[in-house]
Amino acid sequence: MNEKAIHVLVADDDPTACLLMQAALGNQGFSVTTVDNGLAALSAFASTSFAIALLDIEMPGLDGYLVCRELRRQYGETLPIVLITGHDDRAASEAGFAAGASDFISKPINWSSLAERLHPLLAASQT
């Protein structure tokens, strides 16, 4: 593959979810960095350039909503940010979009189509 890998940050306190993200995206042109909490996500963004962030909503310390708001404040509206949660209700998705999320994915995640779901967000961020 000659194309440069797309650098994605995954913030999730569930190690199994992180492994599944790496497996689902790693062979699809993504380079995946995982962290297990919100503070680590912000720290990773401060030291590395990421094309997209996938944030679990329920994490210790800073939750996904707070991390999303801070990333939006620091990096602007073009950074694709996807919030991921086990809650599949209107209030959770509204809170996610209010925090500045580009998209909202409810668990269980369809691992086989995850990369396809991220590509339009990445394309939109380039325009």
Side-chain angles (χ1 to χ4, degrees):
M1 178 180 280
N2 292 335
E3 294 180 35
K4 187 175 179 180
I6 300 164
H7 206 173
V8 58
L9 176 71
V10 173
D12 196 319
D13 60 323
D14 179 353
T16 301
C18 289
L19 288 172
L20 289 168
M21 288 282 186
Q22 287 176 321
L25 298 174
N27 292 328
Q28 299 295 319
F30 291 86
S31 170
V32 180
T33 298
T34 62
V35 297
D36 64 359
N37 65 72
L39 287 175
L42 294 176
S43 178
F45 256 90
S47 63
T48 305
S49 178
F50 292 97
I52 190 167
L54 285 83
L55 310 172
D56 185 32
I57 288 178
E58 294 182 11
M59 293 185 288
L62 297 178
D63 66 23
Y65 296 125
L66 293 173
V67 175
C68 182
R69 282 188 186 94
E70 185 59 22
L71 290 176
R72 194 58 74 217
R73 186 186 70 75
Q74 290 184 29
Y75 300 97
E77 293 298 317
T78 59
L79 173 68
I81 302 172
V82 178
L83 291 178
I84 300 172
T85 185
H87 301 287
D88 188 17
D89 59 65
R90 185 178 178 131
S93 62
E94 286 177 354
F97 291 123
S102 308
D103 199 1
F104 188 89
I105 298 176
S106 296
K107 295 177 183 177
I109 295 170
N110 181 339
W111 299 109
S112 63
S113 66
L114 180 60
E116 293 171 19
R117 185 148 180 193
L118 301 183
H119 285 293
L121 297 171
L122 289 159
S125 74
Q126 301 301 314
T127 59

